[in-house]
Amino acid sequence: MKLRKIGLVFCLAAALFAGSCPTAEAYYTESASSSTYNYSKWGFPLKSPDAYDYSRTVDLRRVGGYDLTNLIDMFVADEYIYIVESSLGIIFRFDTAMNYVDCLKEFTMPDGSTSTLLKPEGMFVSSEGKVYIADTGHSRVLVCDWNGNVSLELLKPENLVGTSLSTFLPTRVVADSAGRINVVARNINSGIMQFTSEGYFTGYIGAPSVSVDPFTKLLRRFYTDTQRAAMTTYVPTEYNNIKIDENNFIWGTISALTESDLISTINSQDLTGAVTPIKKLNMKGKDVLIRQGDFAPVGDLVWASGPSRIVDVGLGPNNIYSMLDNNKGRIFTYNNNGIMLYTFGGKGTAKGETQTPIALDYVGDNILVLDSGLCSVLMFEPTVYGKLLIDAEWYYQEGEYDTANECWRQVTELNSNFAYPYIGLGDAEYNKENYEDAMAYYEFAEDRDSYSNAKERIRKNKMSVSFPYMVGAVILLALLFVGKGIYVRVRRYIRGELMTYGRDEE
């Protein structure tokens, strides 16, 4: 009887719990609760004040008389926001407030013929207004103006190496200030394809490195050609997205990383970038992303349902960048040194939560997230706390240490668990040559390297102050010693001479 009562209570509790869960059909159910956090020096999650607040959602299911169903990419220029609809083969343009402006769907080819897009997946607009489109379904990249006048049709290069595929499937494209075209193509894992402004293929840059254990390297010496060809496990991972900044650095994201590699990177606190979901490539294809945090920028450090799957990077103000996690809908934001500032967001049906986030970009300080599942753009605005972090970075980079110092102080008042502001306070004092105050902040933040540097500067300053006195004292002592010796010798000499003369006379 007692067991039946317990079972009845359990069933009622389960029913109440199920009834309280949001249904998949609901567009939104409630406002999302605070989910902002950071990580401690030891990799433990720490709750943080909200850095961004959800602002609004722009429904894009019907725009300009079209029914949109397959949003796949977003690009933000100075005045416009562009969104690629893959099923329709149309690029929609909005102003920065997400008001619809117009669209691009028809193209005039160099020979005068007309063309359309087939399942495009990416696009880019240069500062000169050139539009670059990864027309994936047509195996080409188009370069045109906003009126659809095509100046270049980039097809599969004849000298393409690194793949046995017969089809060229470009998915993302960017161009630098010199007009060089950089393309991410599906199933090409040799790196980012690079073309001249005229469309000539010049090679790959930024090939992700792979690690092969020494035993496997030894075995490969004894493999046949067929066996070596079958070893597809040890190949570089392909990029899934790219962005380019104003200094022509290419930011590439890699989502297909194994869980074991990420765990190893986190546990060893590897900052080399050997396993990384994000790279910052210079013109030579070298990864120059700074990784000076306790952990490399990889997203979540602990998880229960799989690691972060980074699908896009947004380049924000003051060299801040944010990575978008398609797995859990989270946004990880780092400063220029690779130190995590905050993490927020999540998946669900509450306001501010996403279903299938696929693209992220900045409009000023605001963050936009394109959600293909909701067919919408979610907009987020910085809170007072988030704005303080953004401003502190700017003032520090501009050399306005006093103002940066004040921002950091306000941040510590809002979040005493966050060690980085104390490092910022220490840096500000360090740059003002207040090394003892800097040491106190570094000690609180457990920043041993900075603490040692400040201590070394104090030691050098003491030495620089005391050294002249020490040298002067040594010289004076030396002069006194030499002078005394001369005096004694002269005195003895004089006395000795008198005594000698007296003996001789006798």
Side-chain angles (χ1 to χ4, degrees), residues 260-293:
S260 60
D261 282 345
L262 286 171
I263 290 175
S264 176
T265 298
I266 294 169
N267 290 342
S268 63
Q269 294 182 267
D270 183 8
L271 302 178
T272 64
V275 176
T276 177
I278 184 169
K279 289 178 178 284
K280 180 183 178 181
L281 307 175
N282 61 14
M283 295 181 65
K284 295 181 179 180
K286 181 181 178 181
D287 182 13
V288 295
L289 186 69
I290 300 175
R291 301 174 176 89
Q292 293 181 351

Side-chain angles (χ1 to χ4, degrees), residues 88-165:
L88 298 176
I90 301 177
I91 299 174
F92 293 87
R93 185 164 66 166
F94 304 81
D95 62 20
T96 53
M98 284 303 297
N99 298 308
Y100 172 67
V101 178
D102 54 12
C103 65
L104 176 60
K105 62 178 181 178
E106 294 182 353
F107 301 85
T108 302
M109 304 303 292
D111 61 2
S113 63
T114 60
S115 182
T116 57
L117 303 176
L118 179 62
K119 297 181 179 179
E121 295 190 21
M123 61 92 62
F124 172 81
V125 180
S126 70
S127 57
E128 295 81 19
K130 281 188 176 182
V131 182
Y132 298 77
I133 305 170
D135 190 6
T136 311
H138 282 142
S139 301
R140 64 184 181 180
V141 172
L142 295 182
V143 183
C144 63
D145 59 23
W146 188 248
N147 293 319
N149 299 309
V150 176
S151 58
L152 175 66
E153 182 184 27
L154 196 158
L155 302 172
K156 177 180 177 292
E158 295 180 358
N159 58 333
L160 182 63
V161 294
T163 177
S164 59
L165 299 177

